Amino acid sequence: MKRRVKVTIEDFTNLQENLNDPAELALYQGANGHTYDAEIEHDGYAIIDLTEEDYIELAPGEYQIMIEEWTAAGAIGAYKLETKSDPADDKSLLYRLVDEGGQVQEERSLSKQAVEQLAKVWFGKPARKED
């Protein structure tokens, strides 16, 4: 599945140890901080085609999925709930409510990790109890 991602490699130590080619390491360093379309594999790794010949493969902690435009996330009563990536923090999402007349309430930023944990608590399947 193709998704928009931002490369957010904080520590290049592992890459330096695993990549033998300095030119290959330079691809990762050059991509860091930029946004691309990536193929997300079933194991969470992202593959980004930088050119027709060059690509990089990112572990789940080395990129953030980005939503660049306000996107409908649902409805709460008479309000539409909208979300997008927080431009001030790659690891957070902005949320806002919009009424039927188009009036926008103040945006709120919430970390993606908090959103994920809340979703697991509220909507995750309970662990099976072993007898």
PDB file of all heavy atoms in Angstrom, residues 32-60:
ATOM      1  N   ASN A  32      16.732  11.991   4.667  1.00  0.00           N
ATOM      2  CA  ASN A  32      16.269  12.306   6.013  1.00  0.00           C
ATOM      3  C   ASN A  32      15.662  13.713   6.076  1.00  0.00           C
ATOM      4  O   ASN A  32      16.234  14.682   5.592  1.00  0.00           O
ATOM      5  CB  ASN A  32      17.434  12.196   7.005  1.00  0.00           C
ATOM      6  CG  ASN A  32      16.961  12.025   8.413  1.00  0.00           C
ATOM      7  OD1 ASN A  32      15.926  11.421   8.668  1.00  0.00           O
ATOM      8  ND2 ASN A  32      17.715  12.545   9.355  1.00  0.00           N
ATOM      9  N   GLY A  33      14.466  13.791   6.656  1.00  0.00           N
ATOM     10  CA  GLY A  33      13.769  15.068   6.798  1.00  0.00           C
ATOM     11  C   GLY A  33      12.869  15.413   5.625  1.00  0.00           C
ATOM     12  O   GLY A  33      12.179  16.425   5.662  1.00  0.00           O
ATOM     13  N   HIS A  34      12.858  14.574   4.584  1.00  0.00           N
ATOM     14  CA  HIS A  34      12.039  14.838   3.404  1.00  0.00           C
ATOM     15  C   HIS A  34      10.847  13.884   3.350  1.00  0.00           C
ATOM     16  O   HIS A  34      10.851  12.823   3.956  1.00  0.00           O
ATOM     17  CB  HIS A  34      12.884  14.710   2.131  1.00  0.00           C
ATOM     18  CG  HIS A  34      13.980  15.720   2.063  1.00  0.00           C
ATOM     19  ND1 HIS A  34      13.784  17.015   1.667  1.00  0.00           N
ATOM     20  CD2 HIS A  34      15.294  15.616   2.378  1.00  0.00           C
ATOM     21  CE1 HIS A  34      14.925  17.680   1.725  1.00  0.00           C
ATOM     22  NE2 HIS A  34      15.866  16.846   2.161  1.00  0.00           N
ATOM     23  N   THR A  35       9.846  14.278   2.581  1.00  0.00           N
ATOM     24  CA  THR A  35       8.610  13.515   2.462  1.00  0.00           C
ATOM     25  C   THR A  35       8.540  12.848   1.088  1.00  0.00           C
ATOM     26  O   THR A  35       8.870  13.474   0.078  1.00  0.00           O
ATOM     27  CB  THR A  35       7.398  14.454   2.656  1.00  0.00           C
ATOM     28  OG1 THR A  35       7.552  15.126   3.919  1.00  0.00           O
ATOM     29  CG2 THR A  35       6.096  13.690   2.670  1.00  0.00           C
ATOM     30  N   TYR A  36       8.093  11.574   1.092  1.00  0.00           N
ATOM     31  CA  TYR A  36       8.028  10.777  -0.131  1.00  0.00           C
ATOM     32  C   TYR A  36       6.780   9.900  -0.109  1.00  0.00           C
ATOM     33  O   TYR A  36       6.205   9.654   0.939  1.00  0.00           O
ATOM     34  CB  TYR A  36       9.236   9.825  -0.234  1.00  0.00           C
ATOM     35  CG  TYR A  36      10.571  10.501  -0.247  1.00  0.00           C
ATOM     36  CD1 TYR A  36      11.277  10.719   0.942  1.00  0.00           C
ATOM     37  CD2 TYR A  36      11.145  10.911  -1.436  1.00  0.00           C
ATOM     38  CE1 TYR A  36      12.509  11.335   0.933  1.00  0.00           C
ATOM     39  CE2 TYR A  36      12.390  11.529  -1.455  1.00  0.00           C
ATOM     40  CZ  TYR A  36      13.061  11.738  -0.270  1.00  0.00           C
ATOM     41  OH  TYR A  36      14.290  12.351  -0.277  1.00  0.00           O
ATOM     42  N   ASP A  37       6.440   9.367  -1.281  1.00  0.00           N
ATOM     43  CA  ASP A  37       5.460   8.293  -1.359  1.00  0.00           C
ATOM     44  C   ASP A  37       6.226   6.996  -1.168  1.00  0.00           C
ATOM     45  O   ASP A  37       7.287   6.799  -1.775  1.00  0.00           O
ATOM     46  CB  ASP A  37       4.748   8.286  -2.714  1.00  0.00           C
ATOM     47  CG  ASP A  37       3.810   9.472  -2.871  1.00  0.00           C
ATOM     48  OD1 ASP A  37       3.164   9.850  -1.869  1.00  0.00           O
ATOM     49  OD2 ASP A  37       3.720  10.014  -3.986  1.00  0.00           O
ATOM     50  N   ALA A  38       5.721   6.119  -0.315  1.00  0.00           N
ATOM     51  CA  ALA A  38       6.417   4.870  -0.008  1.00  0.00           C
ATOM     52  C   ALA A  38       5.456   3.704  -0.073  1.00  0.00           C
ATOM     53  O   ALA A  38       4.260   3.847   0.194  1.00  0.00           O
ATOM     54  CB  ALA A  38       7.042   4.943   1.381  1.00  0.00           C
ATOM     55  N   GLU A  39       5.990   2.565  -0.388  1.00  0.00           N
ATOM     56  CA  GLU A  39       5.247   1.315  -0.324  1.00  0.00           C
ATOM     57  C   GLU A  39       5.463   0.758   1.077  1.00  0.00           C
ATOM     58  O   GLU A  39       6.603   0.517   1.478  1.00  0.00           O
ATOM     59  CB  GLU A  39       5.771   0.341  -1.385  1.00  0.00           C
ATOM     60  CG  GLU A  39       4.972  -0.907  -1.515  1.00  0.00           C
ATOM     61  CD  GLU A  39       3.611  -0.688  -2.164  1.00  0.00           C
ATOM     62  OE1 GLU A  39       3.471   0.200  -3.022  1.00  0.00           O
ATOM     63  OE2 GLU A  39       2.679  -1.428  -1.797  1.00  0.00           O
ATOM     64  N   ILE A  40       4.384   0.578   1.829  1.00  0.00           N
ATOM     65  CA  ILE A  40       4.488   0.045   3.178  1.00  0.00           C
ATOM     66  C   ILE A  40       4.258  -1.466   3.104  1.00  0.00           C
ATOM     67  O   ILE A  40       3.199  -1.912   2.659  1.00  0.00           O
ATOM     68  CB  ILE A  40       3.463   0.687   4.147  1.00  0.00           C
ATOM     69  CG1 ILE A  40       3.558   2.211   4.101  1.00  0.00           C
ATOM     70  CG2 ILE A  40       3.650   0.144   5.560  1.00  0.00           C
ATOM     71  CD1 ILE A  40       4.851   2.803   4.589  1.00  0.00           C
ATOM     72  N   GLU A  41       5.242  -2.233   3.530  1.00  0.00           N
ATOM     73  CA  GLU A  41       5.168  -3.686   3.496  1.00  0.00           C
ATOM     74  C   GLU A  41       4.357  -4.199   4.682  1.00  0.00           C
ATOM     75  O   GLU A  41       4.129  -3.484   5.654  1.00  0.00           O
ATOM     76  CB  GLU A  41       6.584  -4.281   3.531  1.00  0.00           C
ATOM     77  CG  GLU A  41       7.462  -3.842   2.370  1.00  0.00           C
ATOM     78  CD  GLU A  41       7.011  -4.406   1.044  1.00  0.00           C
ATOM     79  OE1 GLU A  41       6.609  -5.579   1.009  1.00  0.00           O
ATOM     80  OE2 GLU A  41       7.071  -3.667   0.043  1.00  0.00           O
ATOM     81  N   HIS A  42       3.945  -5.451   4.636  1.00  0.00           N
ATOM     82  CA  HIS A  42       3.143  -6.041   5.707  1.00  0.00           C
ATOM     83  C   HIS A  42       3.877  -6.057   7.050  1.00  0.00           C
ATOM     84  O   HIS A  42       3.258  -6.051   8.098  1.00  0.00           O
ATOM     85  CB  HIS A  42       2.710  -7.463   5.331  1.00  0.00           C
ATOM     86  CG  HIS A  42       3.851  -8.438   5.276  1.00  0.00           C
ATOM     87  ND1 HIS A  42       4.706  -8.517   4.201  1.00  0.00           N
ATOM     88  CD2 HIS A  42       4.282  -9.350   6.173  1.00  0.00           C
ATOM     89  CE1 HIS A  42       5.618  -9.437   4.442  1.00  0.00           C
ATOM     90  NE2 HIS A  42       5.394  -9.953   5.619  1.00  0.00           N
ATOM     91  N   ASP A  43       5.212  -6.029   7.031  1.00  0.00           N
ATOM     92  CA  ASP A  43       5.996  -6.029   8.269  1.00  0.00           C
ATOM     93  C   ASP A  43       6.277  -4.619   8.790  1.00  0.00           C
ATOM     94  O   ASP A  43       6.986  -4.442   9.775  1.00  0.00           O
ATOM     95  CB  ASP A  43       7.299  -6.793   8.081  1.00  0.00           C
ATOM     96  CG  ASP A  43       8.184  -6.222   6.981  1.00  0.00           C
ATOM     97  OD1 ASP A  43       7.807  -5.205   6.352  1.00  0.00           O
ATOM     98  OD2 ASP A  43       9.265  -6.802   6.736  1.00  0.00           O
ATOM     99  N   GLY A  44       5.725  -3.591   8.131  1.00  0.00           N
ATOM    100  CA  GLY A  44       5.884  -2.216   8.589  1.00  0.00           C
ATOM    101  C   GLY A  44       7.045  -1.476   7.956  1.00  0.00           C
ATOM    102  O   GLY A  44       7.195  -0.275   8.152  1.00  0.00           O
ATOM    103  N   TYR A  45       7.886  -2.162   7.194  1.00  0.00           N
ATOM    104  CA  TYR A  45       9.001  -1.487   6.527  1.00  0.00           C
ATOM    105  C   TYR A  45       8.471  -0.668   5.358  1.00  0.00           C
ATOM    106  O   TYR A  45       7.512  -1.059   4.687  1.00  0.00           O
ATOM    107  CB  TYR A  45      10.038  -2.499   6.043  1.00  0.00           C
ATOM    108  CG  TYR A  45      10.993  -2.911   7.138  1.00  0.00           C
ATOM    109  CD1 TYR A  45      10.600  -3.791   8.131  1.00  0.00           C
ATOM    110  CD2 TYR A  45      12.271  -2.385   7.202  1.00  0.00           C
ATOM    111  CE1 TYR A  45      11.461  -4.152   9.152  1.00  0.00           C
ATOM    112  CE2 TYR A  45      13.144  -2.745   8.210  1.00  0.00           C
ATOM    113  CZ  TYR A  45      12.731  -3.625   9.182  1.00  0.00           C
ATOM    114  OH  TYR A  45      13.586  -3.970  10.202  1.00  0.00           O
ATOM    115  N   ALA A  46       9.096   0.482   5.116  1.00  0.00           N
ATOM    116  CA  ALA A  46       8.709   1.365   4.021  1.00  0.00           C
ATOM    117  C   ALA A  46       9.802   1.341   2.962  1.00  0.00           C
ATOM    118  O   ALA A  46      10.988   1.468   3.289  1.00  0.00           O
ATOM    119  CB  ALA A  46       8.515   2.793   4.529  1.00  0.00           C
ATOM    120  N   ILE A  47       9.395   1.195   1.708  1.00  0.00           N
ATOM    121  CA  ILE A  47      10.338   1.208   0.600  1.00  0.00           C
ATOM    122  C   ILE A  47      10.058   2.450  -0.221  1.00  0.00           C
ATOM    123  O   ILE A  47       8.933   2.661  -0.688  1.00  0.00           O
ATOM    124  CB  ILE A  47      10.222  -0.063  -0.252  1.00  0.00           C
ATOM    125  CG1 ILE A  47      10.548  -1.271   0.621  1.00  0.00           C
ATOM    126  CG2 ILE A  47      11.134   0.017  -1.470  1.00  0.00           C
ATOM    127  CD1 ILE A  47      10.303  -2.597  -0.021  1.00  0.00           C
ATOM    128  N   ILE A  48      11.102   3.272  -0.386  1.00  0.00           N
ATOM    129  CA  ILE A  48      10.980   4.531  -1.108  1.00  0.00           C
ATOM    130  C   ILE A  48      11.869   4.463  -2.337  1.00  0.00           C
ATOM    131  O   ILE A  48      13.084   4.249  -2.225  1.00  0.00           O
ATOM    132  CB  ILE A  48      11.408   5.723  -0.227  1.00  0.00           C
ATOM    133  CG1 ILE A  48      10.508   5.837   0.990  1.00  0.00           C
ATOM    134  CG2 ILE A  48      11.394   7.012  -1.045  1.00  0.00           C
ATOM    135  CD1 ILE A  48      10.983   6.860   2.006  1.00  0.00           C
ATOM    136  N   ASP A  49      11.272   4.643  -3.505  1.00  0.00           N
ATOM    137  CA  ASP A  49      12.041   4.743  -4.742  1.00  0.00           C
ATOM    138  C   ASP A  49      12.495   6.188  -4.890  1.00  0.00           C
ATOM    139  O   ASP A  49      11.674   7.077  -5.147  1.00  0.00           O
ATOM    140  CB  ASP A  49      11.196   4.328  -5.952  1.00  0.00           C
ATOM    141  CG  ASP A  49      10.880   2.848  -5.942  1.00  0.00           C
ATOM    142  OD1 ASP A  49      11.767   2.053  -5.574  1.00  0.00           O
ATOM    143  OD2 ASP A  49       9.748   2.479  -6.311  1.00  0.00           O
ATOM    144  N   LEU A  50      13.796   6.428  -4.713  1.00  0.00           N
ATOM    145  CA  LEU A  50      14.333   7.776  -4.829  1.00  0.00           C
ATOM    146  C   LEU A  50      14.529   8.166  -6.298  1.00  0.00           C
ATOM    147  O   LEU A  50      14.281   9.295  -6.686  1.00  0.00           O
ATOM    148  CB  LEU A  50      15.658   7.883  -4.078  1.00  0.00           C
ATOM    149  CG  LEU A  50      15.575   7.619  -2.572  1.00  0.00           C
ATOM    150  CD1 LEU A  50      16.959   7.545  -1.961  1.00  0.00           C
ATOM    151  CD2 LEU A  50      14.737   8.674  -1.891  1.00  0.00           C
ATOM    152  N   THR A  51      15.027   7.217  -7.082  1.00  0.00           N
ATOM    153  CA  THR A  51      15.185   7.372  -8.526  1.00  0.00           C
ATOM    154  C   THR A  51      14.793   6.042  -9.155  1.00  0.00           C
ATOM    155  O   THR A  51      14.407   5.110  -8.445  1.00  0.00           O
ATOM    156  CB  THR A  51      16.650   7.704  -8.911  1.00  0.00           C
ATOM    157  OG1 THR A  51      17.472   6.575  -8.602  1.00  0.00           O
ATOM    158  CG2 THR A  51      17.163   8.943  -8.178  1.00  0.00           C
ATOM    159  N   GLU A  52      14.932   5.928 -10.458  1.00  0.00           N
ATOM    160  CA  GLU A  52      14.628   4.657 -11.103  1.00  0.00           C
ATOM    161  C   GLU A  52      15.587   3.563 -10.653  1.00  0.00           C
ATOM    162  O   GLU A  52      15.264   2.388 -10.697  1.00  0.00           O
ATOM    163  CB  GLU A  52      14.671   4.806 -12.617  1.00  0.00           C
ATOM    164  CG  GLU A  52      13.498   5.587 -13.168  1.00  0.00           C
ATOM    165  CD  GLU A  52      13.475   5.623 -14.672  1.00  0.00           C
ATOM    166  OE1 GLU A  52      14.049   4.722 -15.317  1.00  0.00           O
ATOM    167  OE2 GLU A  52      12.879   6.564 -15.209  1.00  0.00           O
ATOM    168  N   GLU A  53      16.784   3.952 -10.220  1.00  0.00           N
ATOM    169  CA  GLU A  53      17.806   2.980  -9.837  1.00  0.00           C
ATOM    170  C   GLU A  53      18.022   2.878  -8.330  1.00  0.00           C
ATOM    171  O   GLU A  53      18.474   1.853  -7.839  1.00  0.00           O
ATOM    172  CB  GLU A  53      19.134   3.344 -10.506  1.00  0.00           C
ATOM    173  CG  GLU A  53      19.057   3.320 -12.018  1.00  0.00           C
ATOM    174  CD  GLU A  53      19.991   4.316 -12.661  1.00  0.00           C
ATOM    175  OE1 GLU A  53      20.757   4.992 -11.950  1.00  0.00           O
ATOM    176  OE2 GLU A  53      19.935   4.436 -13.894  1.00  0.00           O
ATOM    177  N   ASP A  54      17.725   3.929  -7.594  1.00  0.00           N
ATOM    178  CA  ASP A  54      18.037   3.976  -6.164  1.00  0.00           C
ATOM    179  C   ASP A  54      16.781   3.941  -5.307  1.00  0.00           C
ATOM    180  O   ASP A  54      15.794   4.624  -5.605  1.00  0.00           O
ATOM    181  CB  ASP A  54      18.816   5.252  -5.822  1.00  0.00           C
ATOM    182  CG  ASP A  54      20.180   5.292  -6.490  1.00  0.00           C
ATOM    183  OD1 ASP A  54      20.828   4.236  -6.580  1.00  0.00           O
ATOM    184  OD2 ASP A  54      20.583   6.393  -6.927  1.00  0.00           O
ATOM    185  N   TYR A  55      16.855   3.160  -4.247  1.00  0.00           N
ATOM    186  CA  TYR A  55      15.758   3.098  -3.285  1.00  0.00           C
ATOM    187  C   TYR A  55      16.354   2.942  -1.883  1.00  0.00           C
ATOM    188  O   TYR A  55      17.511   2.576  -1.724  1.00  0.00           O
ATOM    189  CB  TYR A  55      14.794   1.942  -3.599  1.00  0.00           C
ATOM    190  CG  TYR A  55      15.345   0.576  -3.267  1.00  0.00           C
ATOM    191  CD1 TYR A  55      15.083  -0.010  -2.037  1.00  0.00           C
ATOM    192  CD2 TYR A  55      16.143  -0.114  -4.172  1.00  0.00           C
ATOM    193  CE1 TYR A  55      15.597  -1.258  -1.711  1.00  0.00           C
ATOM    194  CE2 TYR A  55      16.658  -1.356  -3.872  1.00  0.00           C
ATOM    195  CZ  TYR A  55      16.383  -1.926  -2.642  1.00  0.00           C
ATOM    196  OH  TYR A  55      16.899  -3.152  -2.329  1.00  0.00           O
ATOM    197  N   ILE A  56      15.529   3.246  -0.894  1.00  0.00           N
ATOM    198  CA  ILE A  56      15.911   3.004   0.494  1.00  0.00           C
ATOM    199  C   ILE A  56      14.796   2.213   1.162  1.00  0.00           C
ATOM    200  O   ILE A  56      13.641   2.280   0.747  1.00  0.00           O
ATOM    201  CB  ILE A  56      16.207   4.311   1.271  1.00  0.00           C
ATOM    202  CG1 ILE A  56      14.996   5.253   1.273  1.00  0.00           C
ATOM    203  CG2 ILE A  56      17.441   4.996   0.712  1.00  0.00           C
ATOM    204  CD1 ILE A  56      15.188   6.503   2.125  1.00  0.00           C
ATOM    205  N   GLU A  57      15.163   1.464   2.188  1.00  0.00           N
ATOM    206  CA  GLU A  57      14.207   0.682   2.967  1.00  0.00           C
ATOM    207  C   GLU A  57      14.310   1.155   4.411  1.00  0.00           C
ATOM    208  O   GLU A  57      15.385   1.147   4.998  1.00  0.00           O
ATOM    209  CB  GLU A  57      14.535  -0.799   2.854  1.00  0.00           C
ATOM    210  CG  GLU A  57      13.509  -1.687   3.497  1.00  0.00           C
ATOM    211  CD  GLU A  57      13.756  -3.158   3.216  1.00  0.00           C
ATOM    212  OE1 GLU A  57      14.515  -3.496   2.308  1.00  0.00           O
ATOM    213  OE2 GLU A  57      13.154  -3.972   3.952  1.00  0.00           O
ATOM    214  N   LEU A  58      13.174   1.558   4.971  1.00  0.00           N
ATOM    215  CA  LEU A  58      13.145   2.139   6.314  1.00  0.00           C
ATOM    216  C   LEU A  58      12.392   1.243   7.288  1.00  0.00           C
ATOM    217  O   LEU A  58      11.316   0.752   6.980  1.00  0.00           O
ATOM    218  CB  LEU A  58      12.465   3.509   6.277  1.00  0.00           C
ATOM    219  CG  LEU A  58      13.079   4.546   5.349  1.00  0.00           C
ATOM    220  CD1 LEU A  58      12.161   5.734   5.208  1.00  0.00           C
ATOM    221  CD2 LEU A  58      14.446   4.972   5.852  1.00  0.00           C
ATOM    222  N   ALA A  59      12.975   1.083   8.466  1.00  0.00           N
ATOM    223  CA  ALA A  59      12.308   0.367   9.550  1.00  0.00           C
ATOM    224  C   ALA A  59      11.181   1.248  10.088  1.00  0.00           C
ATOM    225  O   ALA A  59      11.201   2.476   9.903  1.00  0.00           O
ATOM    226  CB  ALA A  59      13.311   0.048  10.651  1.00  0.00           C
ATOM    227  N   PRO A  60      10.188   0.664  10.764  1.00  0.00           N
ATOM    228  CA  PRO A  60       9.060   1.464  11.260  1.00  0.00           C
ATOM    229  C   PRO A  60       9.456   2.692  12.085  1.00  0.00           C
ATOM    230  O   PRO A  60       8.781   3.711  12.012  1.00  0.00           O
ATOM    231  CB  PRO A  60       8.262   0.461  12.090  1.00  0.00           C
ATOM    232  CG  PRO A  60       8.526  -0.842  11.411  1.00  0.00           C
ATOM    233  CD  PRO A  60       9.969  -0.766  10.973  1.00  0.00           C
TER     234      PRO A  60
END
